[in-house]
Amino acid sequence: MNRFTTRIIQIGNLCIGGNEAVRLQSMTSTDTLNTRATVAQCIDLASAGCEIIRISAPSVRAAKNLAQIKTVLREKGIDVPLVADIHFNHRAAEVAARIVEKIRINPGNFVEQGSEKFLSDDATDREIQAIEEKLAPLLAICKTHHTAVRIGVNHGSLSGRILYRHGNTAEGMMVSAMEYIELCRKHDFHQLVLSLKSSSIPLMIQANRLLVESMKTRGWDYPLHLGVTEAGNADEGRIRSAAGIGTLIREGIGDTIRVSLTEDPVKEIPVAREILEYASRSRKTKFFHYSMEKPDRTSLPLVLSTYPDTAADMHVRGSKAFDKRNFPYILERKEKDKTADKESRLHLIKAKYRDLSPENFMIHSAIDLAAPLMREDFEAVWIDAGNEIPASQATENIFHLLQAIRMRITRTEFISCPSCARTLFDIEALVQQVKNKTSHLKGLKIAVMGCIVNGPGEMAGADYGLLGSGKDQLSLYRGQTLVKKKIPLNHAAEELVRLIRESGDWPESTD
């Protein structure tokens, strides 16, 4: 691993960047105004090994309460650096910057709001000047109080100006970050950390690669924070996070990481640690060619598993796909056969694992396979997980990975954010209700989002979505169209199902 060496940034008593260890982060899901609950969760996170804790500050009042939270934590001997998460409210950022060790601002909504389209260069210059007028006072406060700043770009909340000029793309994310870096450098502020996050793994990887290359051409070396936002929960959340974060860590990109699960944030830490530890090791996956009659292209890539009762490396039975068809192929190894007809040879990648827990298997295989699958035109993935992981479970995990990297769609895709102080309902429970009711709808993309910060943008590619809009209330969307407001939490899943049925996306055979 040839690491992109960044400058060292001080965040409280912690250093990131340079040759420092990659740090583990998470974020509280409690109401920031509830000091007792937030302190308790911070203690739990620190005990689990979290090294940097982010807390949402959606208002000036919440930002002020960070002082009380910090005081209680320090009295209890918890010195983990705190980060204030800011959206829309630059006044809250100025308050928080005097209290915590780091501020996270989102270029898409720190100053610019709405969807205005700025056509001319002069209009763009005026908008950037307006950003600078709000950003400069914050940078001055951060200098005085030795507070670091994270410029955190989310794919789901790019400004209207960036969207108009660059689209909802990796390039747009990179440009958005670069604008703010330029402004910070203009004011001689360099305590910067950068992050480009998306729920799309290929886009998240591409955006970070673009940012690193752009910095290299300018001789810049600011640390990067990695994460797949709205990764979801359970197996999908772990696989998606491992594929995105692990791929970049293996490329030497990343100084801090966060796994964003729609679960108790404490559960994020062991997953993040395993991703980091495994991705930091080198591993070579094997590539083979096999002679076989190629199946219909619509069923590629195939997912194949070695079963314990068959001879290793020779007899492979295909897994059951979600359309209930078998792939009963017996493959004849032709790795050294140079005369075989190339048109009848299967381009296959194989990965072999032993003595792993189910969670570690899904993390390791996602890290190993994501990059080569996105880079080359493989027609099959062969997983040999030994006796520890049932073949059915191994193939399920690989189907999750193929869907995450947009290689093959075999199931419903769910996007859901981790909870925070802006989420005013039990999102983890609602996500599970939605999954229970809609997991059979192959190919549909369904979003469950906590609030308006990233919700509308991240839902832009979803077929249907539920968005938190108040205390135990949600709004229902079809695509980007708002269908119904103020739906009570206990009716949200049923309303979603009703809309899907009315829209004709509910197969009659499942009734």
Side-chain angles (χ1 to χ4, degrees):
M1 183 175 66
N2 185 18
R3 186 173 176 182
F4 172 51
T5 304
T6 57
R7 67 176 62 201
I8 294 177
I9 301 296
Q10 188 81 24
I11 303 176
N13 62 357
L14 194 72
C15 289
I16 66 170
N19 291 318
E20 295 289 328
V22 177
R23 307 296 185 180
L24 308 182
Q25 294 194 27
S26 187
M27 185 175 183
T28 58
S29 59
T30 53
D31 182 352
T32 306
L33 294 174
N34 187 333
T35 302
R36 177 176 294 180
T38 304
V39 166
Q41 195 168 74
C42 287
I43 292 172
D44 289 344
L45 284 167
S47 299
C50 183
E51 297 171 283
I52 301 172
I53 298 175
R54 183 156 50 116
I55 303 173
S56 180
S59 65
V60 170
R61 185 182 172 205
K64 288 180 178 179
N65 199 52
L66 292 171
Q68 180 64 19
I69 293 168
K70 182 178 179 180
T71 297
V72 176
L73 285 171
R74 301 303 182 249
E75 289 175 350
K76 293 180 178 292
I78 305 298
D79 60 356
V80 174
L82 303 180
V83 183
D85 191 63
I86 304 294
H87 293 272
F88 303 115
N89 194 332
H90 69 279
R91 298 298 182 196
E94 292 175 6
V95 171
R98 295 177 167 91
I99 300 168
V100 297
E101 288 79 14
K102 183 179 171 188
I103 298 290
R104 183 268 180 151
I105 57 174
N106 186 335
N109 54 42
F110 178 67
V111 173
E112 299 174 88
Q113 298 179 30
S115 58
E116 294 86 355
K117 298 176 180 179
F118 300 89
L119 306 181
S120 69
D121 291 339
D122 287 343
T124 296
D125 291 341
R126 287 195 297 272
E127 186 61 29
I128 292 176
Q129 183 178 351
I131 294 170
E132 184 177 3
E133 290 173 359
K134 299 285 176 47
L135 183 62
L138 174 62
L139 297 180
I141 294 169
C142 288
K143 275 188 176 182
T144 299
H145 293 270
H146 308 289
T147 307
V149 172
R150 169 150 74 97
I151 298 169
V153 181
N154 271 21
H155 176 232
S157 55
L158 296 176
S159 70
R161 176 175 56 81
I162 292 292
L163 289 172
Y164 181 77
R165 286 184 167 242
H166 301 280
N168 208 8
T169 62
E171 180 186 29
M173 295 171 68
M174 180 271 291
V175 170
S176 181
M178 295 296 283
E179 283 186 352
Y180 271 64
I181 299 171
E182 292 276 12
L183 291 175
C184 290
R185 289 178 63 84
K186 180 178 178 180
H187 290 268
D188 195 29
F189 186 86
H190 302 281
Q191 289 292 103
L192 292 176
V193 181
L194 311 171
S195 71
L196 303 181
K197 293 188 177 184
S198 173
S199 60
S200 165
I201 282 80
L203 193 145
M204 171 263 190
I205 292 171
Q206 181 188 10
N208 279 279
R209 287 171 177 165
L210 283 175
L211 180 59
V212 169
E213 290 306 312
S214 296
M215 286 202 291
K216 284 181 176 178
T217 61
R218 293 165 173 79
W220 299 350
D221 57 357
Y222 299 108
L224 288 102
H225 170 70
L226 305 180
V228 176
T229 189
E230 284 86 43
N233 68 349
D235 292 4
E236 298 105 309
R238 286 155 176 79
I239 290 168
R240 289 160 63 87
S241 297
I245 297 170
T247 294
L248 290 170
I249 290 293
R250 281 223 165 139
E251 293 178 9
I253 296 172
D255 299 282
T256 66
I257 66 173
R258 190 238 172 146
V259 172
S260 299
L261 298 179
T262 312
E263 301 177 20
D264 185 329
V266 174
K267 294 182 180 179
E268 298 177 353
I269 304 306
V271 179
R273 183 183 294 109
E274 187 63 30
I275 291 172
L276 178 58
E277 290 180 355
Y278 187 70
S280 298
R281 296 183 240 157
S282 62
R283 173 183 166 86
K284 293 183 179 179
T285 49
K286 295 182 180 180
F287 302 84
F288 297 104
H289 286 95
Y290 286 82
S291 177
M292 67 172 286
E293 182 181 349
K294 289 187 179 180
D296 188 329
R297 293 290 305 181
T298 59
S299 65
L300 297 177
L302 301 178
V303 179
L304 310 169
S305 288
T306 300
Y307 283 66
D309 60 345
T310 61
D313 285 2
M314 288 302 295
H315 300 287
V316 180
R317 277 184 284 166
S319 66
K320 284 188 176 181
F322 287 95
D323 56 9
K324 305 303 182 185
R325 291 180 303 168
N326 285 316
F327 295 131
Y329 303 115
I330 303 298
L331 305 184
E332 179 185 357
R333 186 164 176 171
K334 295 290 185 181
E335 183 186 8
K336 297 180 181 179
D337 186 353
K338 304 298 183 182
T339 63
D341 181 4
K342 290 184 179 180
E343 291 302 314
S344 68
R345 296 173 70 186
L346 191 70
H347 190 203
L348 179 149
I349 186 170
K350 179 183 178 183
K352 183 177 180 179
Y353 302 93
R354 292 293 183 270
D355 302 321
L356 292 179
S357 67
E359 181 169 284
N360 285 354
F361 166 75
M362 69 180 73
I363 291 171
H364 292 196
S365 58
I367 293 171
D368 287 335
L369 296 171
L373 284 170
M374 287 187 285
R375 185 176 62 243
E376 299 191 36
D377 186 22
F378 287 104
E379 295 156 315
V381 183
W382 181 356
I383 291 296
D384 181 354
N387 295 314
E388 294 82 13
I389 311 295
S392 58
Q393 181 178 343
T395 54
E396 289 266 324
N397 289 162
I398 302 306
F399 274 120
H400 276 306
L401 174 63
L402 290 174
Q403 179 134 338
I405 60 177
R406 318 311 298 166
M407 294 291 292
R408 184 173 174 187
I409 307 302
T410 58
R411 62 194 63 206
T412 316
E413 182 168 347
F414 297 98
I415 295 175
S416 60
C417 61
S419 186
C420 73
R422 296 183 298 268
T423 301
L424 303 178
F425 65 97
D426 187 342
I427 188 170
E428 186 175 356
L430 180 59
V431 167
Q432 195 55 54
Q433 289 177 34
V434 170
K435 280 189 170 186
N436 291 342
K437 293 177 180 295
T438 63
S439 289
H440 61 287
L441 302 176
K442 173 182 172 180
L444 281 189
K445 191 173 183 179
I446 298 175
V448 181
M449 307 300 292
C451 71
I452 63 169
V453 171
N454 299 318
E458 292 292 352
M459 288 200 311
D463 299 292
Y464 300 92
L466 288 165
L467 172 65
S469 57
K471 178 64 176 174
D472 288 337
Q473 290 189 335
L474 296 102
S475 296
L476 178 63
Y477 286 77
R478 179 171 52 225
Q480 293 181 292
T481 302
L482 176 62
V483 175
K484 189 173 183 179
K485 296 180 179 180
K486 297 183 178 179
I487 301 171
L489 175 61
N490 58 348
H491 295 303
E494 288 77 9
E495 287 290 328
L496 172 65
V497 169
R498 180 191 59 78
L499 178 61
I500 296 173
R501 287 179 181 275
E502 291 177 353
S503 302
D505 286 330
W506 193 281
E508 292 183 5
S509 60
T510 63
D511 289 338

